[in-house]
Amino acid sequence: MPPKQRFTPQDVIEAAFNVVRRQGWEGFSARTIANELHSSTRPIYDCFNSMENIEAEVVKKALATFVASINQERTGDIWLDQALGYVLFAAQEKYLFRCINDEKHTPFQRQFAREHWTKLGEALADDDRFRAMPEPIRHKIRAARWMMIHGLSWLIASGWFKTPIEADSMLADQLGYTLVDFLAKVNDGLYEEFKTD
């Protein structure tokens, strides 16, 4: 008799994450996770008490993937790179973007996102634009930019713009600017508008 295959909670989370990454929450079930593991559903329930616990772990992993995208250096301008990473994640990982932003899972996102928001802010601390700025003003600029970038990202993730996902061509047909140029204008405009509040 072949040895029984054992799965760790991490194996189950990885399988569930892969299912959601490809299919969204619509494909998320014990059966689809088991199929991803090439097993029965038994290991899933051996590792987790409920599917909700797995959902929370998937959101947590999706947020970590999201933040890695935001932190990736692309242009050499950290303020621009954070915005660009946000939008490109929504374009390239639309199911994961929806996963962390749908109404049902927003409480998980709120729970896990505070730490990421703080770390992203700390990454801007040495930027000339933000170094001497009082924290309340810095927070206001970041929050205003997040609202704008999130709206654009949601439009892209939901298929509103039928465009390629490359930064040099996305939005060019609609706005006449590359994504990078558009985001630079948004960043500069919000910064100038709110820096003296």
Side-chain angles (χ1 to χ4, degrees):
M1 175 186 277
K4 184 177 176 183
Q5 192 168 12
R6 299 200 180 273
F7 296 96
T8 66
Q10 210 47 47
D11 294 329
V12 174
I13 293 164
E14 188 67 27
F17 175 80
N18 289 334
V19 167
V20 173
R21 186 178 222 169
R22 287 193 313 270
Q23 302 175 40
W25 289 120
E26 294 78 15
F28 178 79
S29 70
R31 173 58 39 214
T32 57
I33 297 169
N35 288 343
E36 186 76 16
L37 291 169
H38 304 290
S39 77
S40 70
T41 57
R42 178 67 189 254
I44 296 164
Y45 294 109
D46 286 345
C47 292
F48 289 93
N49 294 331
S50 72
M51 292 297 288
E52 186 174 82
N53 291 339
I54 300 172
E55 286 181 70
E57 292 298 328
V58 169
V59 173
K60 192 174 185 177
K61 186 171 175 63
L63 271 169
T65 306
F66 178 47
V67 171
S69 176
I70 294 173
N71 279 324
Q72 187 176 339
E73 184 177 335
R74 293 179 167 92
T75 68
D77 176 344
I78 191 168
W79 178 232
L80 180 57
D81 286 343
Q82 286 182 355
L84 186 56
Y86 199 110
V87 176
L88 288 177
F89 180 85
Q92 296 164 348
E93 297 282 5
K94 66 179 182 178
Y95 289 123
L96 290 182
F97 185 81
R98 294 177 196 170
C99 151
I100 58 178
N101 289 294
D102 73 340
E103 187 175 354
K104 179 181 177 189
H105 299 94
T106 297
F108 293 137
Q109 202 246 37
R110 284 192 185 115
Q111 177 184 346
F112 303 132
R114 284 189 187 95
E115 176 185 344
H116 297 307
W117 176 264
T118 300
K119 285 182 180 175
L120 290 168
E122 289 169 355
L124 294 170
D126 289 331
D127 185 272
D128 289 342
R129 291 163 289 198
F130 295 98
R131 185 177 294 120
M133 183 177 284
E135 177 54 33
I137 303 288
R138 186 185 315 163
H139 179 79
K140 188 182 291 187
I141 292 171
R142 291 181 64 214
R145 203 266 303 260
W146 168 72
M147 290 176 197
M148 192 276 156
I149 297 300
H150 184 77
L152 173 62
S153 297
W154 189 259
L155 288 171
I156 289 168
S158 63
W160 187 266
F161 294 118
K162 302 291 185 195
T163 61
I165 58 174
E166 291 80 26
D168 60 349
S169 56
M170 189 185 298
L171 303 185
D173 291 342
Q174 290 84 7
L175 299 174
Y177 297 108
T178 67
L179 178 61
V180 173
D181 290 341
F182 176 72
L183 293 176
K185 287 181 178 298
V186 168
N187 279 354
D188 292 346
L190 289 170
Y191 180 85
E192 291 300 321
E193 180 65 30
F194 289 104
K195 72 178 181 180
T196 56
D197 274 5

